[in-house]
Amino acid sequence: MAAAAQNDLKVAVVGAGYFSQFHYDAWRRLPGADLVALADSNAEAARATAARFAVPRTFESLDALLAEVEPDILDIVTPPQTHHALVAAACRR
């Protein structure tokens, strides 16, 4: 993957489960988007997904990700019942 352009949007993703592969693949192919980090409570899944899709940083929580990364876009790819808490955490930042 080529180095990110200075004006690319920084994308962080929450989730490394089965369905997330479609999001990572799409973000990777989208011009102007730079996958910068992912968060998943399953550290092993996070590392495997990061390796597969060339995501440079992994975190075990959204809070940890947001403490170190300032994404332009946060893509939440987790079960629907988790969305409210994740959106609330992102909004607090």
Side-chain angles (χ1 to χ4, degrees), residues 56-90:
R57 300 183 72 188
T58 64
F59 298 88
E60 290 186 40
S61 73
L62 175 59
D63 287 334
L65 183 153
L66 293 175
E68 295 191 35
V69 178
E70 293 184 16
D72 298 308
I73 297 170
L74 181 63
D75 184 10
I76 298 173
V77 192
T78 60
Q81 65 271 20
T82 66
H83 292 183
H84 182 270
L86 292 169
V87 169

Side-chain angles (χ1 to χ4, degrees), residues 2 10 14 16 28 31 34 42 45-46 52-53 59 65 67-68 70 78-79 81-82 88-92:
K10 295 183 294 184
V14 180
R28 207 171 59 164
D34 180 27
N42 180 331
R52 181 176 176 194
F53 294 101
F59 298 88
L65 183 153
E68 295 191 35
E70 293 184 16
T78 60
Q81 65 271 20
T82 66
C91 288
R92 283 192 297 271

Side-chain angles (χ1 to χ4, degrees), residues 5-66:
Q6 189 172 5
N7 60 352
D8 281 357
L9 293 173
K10 295 183 294 184
V11 179
V13 181
V14 180
Y18 171 78
F19 196 77
S20 70
Q21 68 183 316
F22 304 108
H23 286 241
Y24 289 104
D25 181 56
W27 285 120
R28 207 171 59 164
R29 292 183 289 114
L30 188 65
D34 180 27
L35 277 169
V36 295
L38 74 86
D40 194 282
S41 60
N42 180 331
E44 185 176 325
R47 284 190 298 273
T49 300
R52 181 176 176 194
F53 294 101
V55 181
R57 300 183 72 188
T58 64
F59 298 88
E60 290 186 40
S61 73
L62 175 59
D63 287 334
L65 183 153
L66 293 175

